[in-house]
Amino acid sequence: MDTAFFNGIFLPKEKIRVSPDDRGFLFGDGIYEVMKWYAGFFFDPAGHLARLKRSLREIRIDLPDPEAFLNISEGLVKANKLEDKYALVYFQVTRGASPRSHSFPDPAVEPTIYAFARKTEPVNTSTGPAAGVMTARDIRWSRCDIKSIALLANTLSFQDAHERGLFECIFIRDGYLTEGSRSNFFLVSDGRLYTHPESENILSGITRKNIIRYAMESGIPVVQEPFPASDLAKISEAFLTNTSAEVTPVAFIDSKKVGTGEPGPVTRQLHRKFLDELTIMKDR
Ligand code: PMP
């Protein structure tokens, strides 16, 4: 039986009851975080905690002890006997339960916290296979930097890709590639690594930040500028990053092959750096 965390206690997931007046349920009024457990440690927990705090601040939820996120996450790994396995921890905070009204509850109510851990398989370490993706208009709102639980535009867009047998939908806003429906997007053009800058048009991924660091450490020129979708023909490599899938090379975009269609040298090099860092963390 899965053990989850709900409003201060660990309990069997089936026992959890959420109020129909919860603002997460009524308005999607909440934020979340996802962190990966690598059979002994979390990858960049400080980065995830910092983003959690930022999300809370941006939507004005006053969570008394956001640092508890780390202990709760470890608690879930232990309670579900996942210590020596790979797992994803999902952690969500909503503004709490209160009769439906657009204005925030006044006085404020206790935020609702829900978290669970789910076993996952180690990702293939051989930089492959490369994935096919599609592009589509970015139909999301103007605060994609907040890790909001309101993901309807992401799920609708991802479903379009999924139904075509594709791995991801890459968004285009005002003619520029922003990111995927659940991942950040990188490409190589003219020997330089491009990714969209931090802005209200993307979620600043924890994997993205670390990949940029590896590129800088490796002397790969990094350009954090929006890349025009009309220049897709000029790219030699592309890959996606996120916590669960790590680094996913892109083989084709809208049926057009990227480079040779195989994971390229920059993608391989950065993926290798990521895996090397995991090994270092494991041995620590
Ligand atoms: N962008 C979006 C829209 C996402 O949903 C995600 C995954 N949460 C990411 C980027 C990647 O973020 P991270 O590397 O922190 O998982």
Side-chain angles (χ1 to χ4, degrees):
M1 205 187 301
D2 287 354
T3 298
F5 178 90
F6 187 68
N7 290 347
I9 50 171
F10 292 93
L11 75 174
K13 197 168 167 180
E14 294 77 5
K15 295 257 164 74
I16 295 175
R17 295 288 174 270
V18 181
S19 165
D21 283 337
D22 194 275
R23 291 180 62 98
F25 181 55
L26 293 174
F27 291 112
D29 185 357
I31 53 90
Y32 75 109
E33 208 32 74
V34 179
M35 195 161 58
K36 191 162 184 178
W37 174 258
Y38 286 88
F41 61 92
F42 284 111
F43 182 75
D44 198 355
H48 286 282
L49 175 62
R51 187 171 64 183
L52 174 73
K53 287 183 179 170
R54 179 183 186 280
S55 298
L56 290 166
R57 196 166 59 239
E58 290 299 320
I59 75 160
R60 298 164 59 191
I61 288 182
D62 190 13
L63 190 68
D65 184 16
E67 272 85 8
F69 162 63
L70 299 175
N71 283 337
I72 293 167
S73 300
E74 281 208 39
L76 285 169
V77 167
K78 290 199 180 103
N80 290 285
K81 303 196 169 35
L82 295 168
E83 290 101 318
D84 59 349
K85 309 256 180 347
Y86 286 63
L88 290 167
V89 171
Y90 176 93
F91 185 94
Q92 146 170 337
V93 185
T94 77
R95 201 176 308 280
S98 179
R100 189 179 186 281
S101 160
H102 280 54
S103 56
F104 295 175
D106 184 14
V109 294
E110 287 276 304
T112 305
I113 303 181
Y114 168 53
F116 65 84
R118 179 189 287 164
K119 185 173 176 292
T120 182
E121 294 308 319
V123 171
N124 195 344
T125 53
S126 67
T127 318
V133 304
M134 59 179 274
T135 60
R137 183 166 65 92
D138 199 338
I139 57 170
R140 299 175 302 163
W141 68 332
S142 311
R143 290 303 307 276
C144 301
D145 56 312
I146 299 172
K147 204 162 165 58
S148 161
I149 59 168
L151 290 172
L152 183 57
N154 304 60
T155 60
L156 283 173
S157 304
F158 179 73
Q159 185 64 19
D160 281 345
H162 181 69
E163 286 174 6
R164 291 168 168 79
L166 300 171
F167 182 81
E168 178 61 298
C169 171
I170 310 295
F171 291 124
I172 299 174
R173 191 178 291 231
D174 300 329
Y176 292 92
L177 299 157
T178 54
E179 62 175 338
S181 72
R182 48 182 195 142
S183 58
N184 290 115
F185 182 64
F186 287 80
L187 62 89
V188 178
S189 182
D190 216 4
R192 289 180 295 191
L193 182 70
Y194 284 81
T195 196
H196 197 285
E198 279 189 329
S199 81
E200 294 184 347
N201 291 340
I202 67 158
L203 180 79
S204 179
I206 303 305
T207 325
R208 173 188 177 280
K209 274 193 190 164
N210 284 288
I211 288 291
I212 289 171
R213 176 168 60 81
Y214 304 147
M216 287 175 167
E217 287 168 6
S218 310
I220 297 167
V222 179
V223 186
Q224 295 187 58
E225 280 172 22
F227 192 87
S230 54
D231 283 352
L232 269 176
K234 297 181 186 162
I235 77 176
S236 54
E237 295 180 41
F239 62 89
L240 301 160
T241 62
N242 68 16
T243 294
S244 59
E246 303 168 358
V247 177
T248 308
V250 173
F252 57 91
I253 303 176
D254 295 334
S255 309
K256 285 187 211 75
K257 222 194 250 183
V258 175
T260 62
E262 296 296 317
V266 175
T267 308
R268 284 179 187 280
Q269 189 182 348
L270 293 172
H271 190 207
R272 172 56 34 211
K273 283 274 273 184
F274 180 83
L275 297 171
D276 287 349
E277 187 155 273
L278 290 180
T279 309
I280 293 165
M281 288 174 177
K282 198 173 165 198
D283 294 342
R284 218 175 255 161

